[in-house]
Amino acid sequence: MTVKSVTHLNFRGDARAALEFYQSVFDGDLAVVTYKDAGSVQDPAEADQVMWGQVLADNGFHVMAYDVPSRMPWNQGENSFFLSLRGESAQEITAYWDKLSEGATVVQPLGPAQWAPLYGMLRDRFGVVWVVDVVSEYNG
């Protein structure tokens, strides 16, 4: 048996835009089911919001997201999670960084770090904090 962990992002009305953005960065397949699609509309204003969505790419990128209904509490929080993106080459990571940086706030510019050939941190335009690095062998 195997188990797989997938980051699931929660939004309040921005899930579709965020998933479309991540698809534009990583390619892959976008799947979205709205509350209307699922026959689960409790607030007509939220019928077209995302009840379940994901981007799944051949390169291994996989993220899920949904819009928390207004009847439920939601607070984006501060530093409640990071989305870690690790790649094998500086070229690959730099290309993703450049796309993710669009409309983002850079927390730590992409550059060499003591623990990785490249490391950076940014808060994307949807408020999601990404930690991005090139994988290196740990010599502890």
Side-chain angles (χ1 to χ4, degrees), residues 30 34 38:
L30 170 67
T34 66

Side-chain angles (χ1 to χ4, degrees), residues 58-75:
D58 290 340
N59 61 11
F61 180 81
H62 189 186
V63 70
M64 297 172 66
Y66 96 118
D67 288 308
V68 178
S70 60
R71 71 181 187 284
M72 296 174 62
W74 178 79
N75 183 327

Side-chain angles (χ1 to χ4, degrees), residues 5-23 26 30-33 35 49-55 61-69 73-77 79-85 100 122-131:
S5 175
V6 177
T7 300
H8 191 286
L9 306 173
N10 301 331
F11 296 94
R12 180 79 79 175
D14 288 328
R16 180 184 302 272
L19 287 167
E20 289 171 351
F21 174 66
Y22 301 141
Q23 182 191 32
F26 299 100
L30 170 67
V32 171
V33 176
Y35 287 98
Q49 289 187 358
V50 176
M51 184 175 133
W52 177 87
Q54 74 174 7
V55 173
F61 180 81
H62 189 186
V63 70
M64 297 172 66
Y66 96 118
D67 288 308
V68 178
W74 178 79
N75 183 327
Q76 189 175 20
N79 293 325
S80 56
F81 68 92
F82 295 152
L83 192 53
S84 175
L85 177 67
L100 285 169
L122 61 80
R123 180 180 303 275
D124 75 18
R125 64 186 183 194
F126 298 101
V128 175
V129 177
W130 292 77
V131 289

Side-chain angles (χ1 to χ4, degrees), residues 86 111-120 132-137:
R86 307 190 82 199
Q114 197 171 13
W115 60 91
L118 279 180
Y119 169 83
V132 178
D133 68 341
V134 173
V135 176
S136 65
E137 189 173 313

Side-chain angles (χ1 to χ4, degrees), residues 2 25 31 43 51 67 71 81 93 103 105 107 113 135:
T2 62
V25 172
D43 180 344
M51 184 175 133
D67 288 308
R71 71 181 187 284
F81 68 92
I93 287 303
T105 301
V107 177
V135 176

